[in-house]
Amino acid sequence: MAIRSAFCWFFAVCWLLTVSAVGAEEATFKLTIRNHRFEPTELMVPAGQKIKLEIDNQDATPEEFESYELNREKVVPAKATVVIFVGPLKPGRYPFFGDFNKGTAKGVLIAK
Amino acid sequence: MLGIGVLILREVLEASLIISVVYAATRGIPGRGRWVGLGVAAGVVGALLVAAFAGAIASAVSGIGQEVFNASVLLAAVVMIGWHAVWMSSHGKALVTKLKSVGSEVSVGHRPLAALLVVVAIAVLREGSEAVLFVYAQAANGSDWVDLVAGVGAGILGGAAIGLALYVGLLRIPMRYFFTATNWLLLLVAAGMAAQAANFLVQAGILPPLGARLWDTSALLSDHSLFGQTLHALIGYDARPAGIQLAFYFVTVVIIVLGMKLCGKPKPPISGAA
């Protein structure tokens, strides 16, 4: 009974979120992961507005996009593109990194 | 090995802390070990499945499937904890009486355990799937197998040790306050999960942030330090919260507390006793 109602909740929430996901268009910026590095390593974005990041992982292994400053964390599976929304940001530098390849996968978002 | 161990520890830690709180909160209920064990097992299987289908989940719902999935399972866990907390508010006294008098078992049914099994399974599934993907990425990148196995082993042991320490600490709470304490702790765990779900929905562009960064206490306590992460799992600490996370946090607290107050009242006398 408890488990069944949990599943009902789960699907209801999934459905609601899917329906409400059809939103407005934001300015889109692209990041590519290749050989466990981000390209570009410095990405300029406008401050003061919500922006959409498209992260394209061209490697054969998964990566995790992470930024403490942006309070964001997201797995980017191998050969997949994911979307992540950030902001509106105050002007400044927002470093990010690949949690699965910390040595090489580093970059910074610069909001102006 | 150290890097691998640290990352695995970080993934294991939050699940381990939540298992400890659940295990403490179900003290005195017969069969709880089996139920929590089942929850962990279900979570591990779920983590492997989620990792295997990570690509499909990520590209679902035009690239925000991961957030929708994470937010959904987190909110499901919040509902389960809320239900348990409300249930405890009317059954907690019986448990305390039982624990004080040795021998007698409280027959409470398995409903509260089933709810918390789901919570444990979800905690393990969420953190575990990232750990599985990380290990897979390391193996595919040609990491040394000995390093990988040793790192994973050390990370899991470390995470489990911290969880065990929390459990031992919780057991020191005097019995009179014990379930009040574990119930409040579960309540804050749930509020933190709700706030985290809100953050996922902002990340997916579904909810407005209502202030992308209300404050920044990361210089004081980073939520990526061991202690910060512990507080994150237990009370939902976030060094850089968005406004909507706060809203979700407090609405969750208010709803569960109201439920506890309404259901925790002594039953009204049966008709005719007025």
Side-chain angles (χ1 to χ4, degrees):
Chain A
M1 166 55 186
I3 293 182
R4 200 171 64 187
S5 58
F7 275 116
C8 291
W9 270 95
F10 179 83
F11 286 115
V13 170
C14 279
W15 179 77
L16 269 177
L17 297 184
T18 312
V19 169
S20 57
V22 189
E25 281 303 301
E26 285 82 9
T28 303
F29 296 86
K30 286 193 168 69
L31 273 176
T32 303
I33 301 168
R34 201 178 288 133
N35 299 323
H36 313 310
R37 286 170 200 282
F38 286 106
E39 295 170 21
T41 52
E42 288 196 349
L43 185 61
M44 300 289 195
V45 299
Q49 69 182 71
K50 189 164 137 187
I51 56 166
K52 181 175 170 183
L53 286 180
E54 268 182 25
I55 308 169
D56 177 11
N57 183 5
Q58 300 191 345
D59 286 344
T61 54
E63 182 56 273
E64 185 173 54
F65 174 88
E66 184 156 3
S67 169
Y68 297 164
E69 283 74 9
L70 293 167
N71 205 0
R72 290 289 180 268
E73 185 179 0
K74 179 159 183 166
V75 170
V76 192
K79 306 278 179 197
T81 303
V82 301
V83 168
I84 203 166
F85 289 86
V86 297
L89 298 172
K90 294 198 176 89
R93 294 171 63 84
Y94 299 85
F96 56 82
F97 59 92
D99 202 21
F100 293 173
N101 297 283
K102 274 184 182 161
T104 51
K106 288 179 245 180
V108 59
L109 206 71
I110 300 169
K112 271 189 178 161
Chain B
M1 190 207 115
L2 190 66
I4 298 170
V6 168
L7 193 135
I8 295 293
L9 170 71
R10 280 182 30 195
E11 301 292 357
V12 171
L13 177 65
E14 293 191 24
S16 169
L17 292 170
I18 289 170
I19 292 168
S20 292
V21 175
V22 165
Y23 201 61
T26 50
R27 195 176 173 190
I29 300 180
R32 63 175 178 145
R34 205 171 58 235
W35 283 82
V36 170
L38 263 176
V40 173
V44 169
V45 172
L48 291 169
L49 285 175
V50 169
F53 293 106
I57 294 173
S59 48
V61 208
S62 43
I64 54 163
Q66 222 178 94
E67 283 82 358
V68 172
F69 177 80
N70 275 321
S72 305
V73 293
L74 278 169
L75 292 175
V78 170
V79 171
M80 292 291 106
I81 292 178
W83 187 83
H84 173 83
V86 171
W87 181 88
M88 271 305 283
S89 63
S90 53
H91 293 72
K93 282 219 175 71
L95 280 174
V96 173
T97 316
K98 180 243 159 169
L99 283 167
K100 281 180 175 165
S101 65
V102 192
S104 63
E105 291 227 311
V106 181
S107 55
V108 294
H110 286 139
R111 284 181 166 203
L113 288 175
L116 291 182
L117 178 148
V118 174
V119 174
V120 166
I122 285 172
V124 173
L125 175 154
R126 287 200 52 250
E127 308 293 333
S129 60
E130 285 176 22
V132 171
L133 283 173
F134 169 72
V135 170
Y136 167 72
Q138 292 300 309
N141 288 349
S143 277
D144 184 47
W145 276 100
V146 178
D147 262 14
L148 200 54
V149 171
V152 170
I156 291 178
L157 279 180
I162 296 175
L164 188 67
L166 173 70
Y167 181 71
V168 170
L170 286 174
L171 288 187
R172 298 177 70 95
I173 299 172
M175 188 47 72
R176 245 185 322 156
Y177 309 116
F178 186 77
F179 288 112
T180 313
T182 53
N183 230 17
W184 277 98
L185 195 49
L186 269 180
L187 168 67
L188 296 181
V189 167
M193 285 176 165
Q196 210 185 336
N199 197 33
F200 276 121
L201 296 179
V202 172
Q203 176 168 312
I206 293 173
L207 287 180
L210 304 182
R213 188 196 277 186
L214 281 197
W215 64 72
D216 186 349
T217 50
S218 58
L220 216 62
L221 175 62
S222 160
D223 39 10
H224 298 276
S225 65
L226 217 52
F227 185 56
Q229 225 192 332
T230 300
L231 287 186
H232 174 73
L234 295 181
I235 65 167
Y237 174 72
D238 192 325
R240 302 178 179 88
I244 195 146
Q245 288 182 264
L246 246 68
F248 267 58
Y249 192 95
F250 286 109
V251 167
T252 304
V253 170
V254 167
I255 289 177
I256 296 179
V257 168
L258 274 179
M260 284 161 70
K261 293 281 175 249
L262 289 178
C263 301
K265 276 185 191 151
K267 300 261 182 321
I270 301 161
S271 60

